[in-house]
Amino acid sequence: MRAAPTIRPLAPEDRDAWAPLWRGYLAFYGTERDEAQFDLTFARYTEPDRADMLAWLAWDGKAALGLVHVIVHAHGWHAAPVSYLQDLFTTPEARGRGVARALIETVYAHADQAGHAGVYWLTQSGNITAQHLYDRLATKTDFIKYARP
């Protein structure tokens, strides 16, 4: 049996490990971002004084297995902020090993410690594999997302 992954906050020295994970996440959803956006996104997630954009990586030794990005924001229905789990990705070889669960539970623990009112996220309706995990960790709502590009 494999050991549980080590989860730690994204750090400035993690760029080379983080970039392929975020590229994999973007590719899964059929999109790309240019290098300037990579630089900006990484800088936001590793800025030590920034409390509204957080990220963690899952590790097995020196191998990065997955990432989670969180946006913390105010909410009109709660006095405390909420955590929006924006991006969650694990490498194909890490799937089925509890890495995604560990990343989500890290977000939960941070939100609880920080006194956030809740954690939420979105997924594509066809992402059935992920939904099997999500259904065990959270409550599915009946909201539909609308967006203006």
Side-chain angles (χ1 to χ4, degrees), residues 1 6 9 13 16 27 41 48 58 60 63 72 84 86 89 106 108 115 119 123 132 139 147:
M1 182 172 174
T6 300
E13 61 271 16
D16 290 343
T41 298
D60 182 3
V72 177
Y84 169 50
Q86 184 173 38
F89 180 78
T106 297
Y108 283 176
V119 176
T123 194
H132 288 304
T139 302

Side-chain angles (χ1 to χ4, degrees), residues 13 45 68 103 109 115 124 129 141 143 149:
E13 61 271 16
Y45 283 122
V68 65
L103 287 164
Q124 285 183 325
T129 301
T141 70
F143 283 87

Side-chain angles (χ1 to χ4, degrees), residues 21 24-25 28 65 88-100 129:
L21 294 170
Y25 173 82
F28 180 84
L65 304 176
L88 175 67
F89 180 78
T90 63
T91 61
E93 50 278 1
R95 294 180 188 150
R97 293 177 46 192
V99 175
T129 301

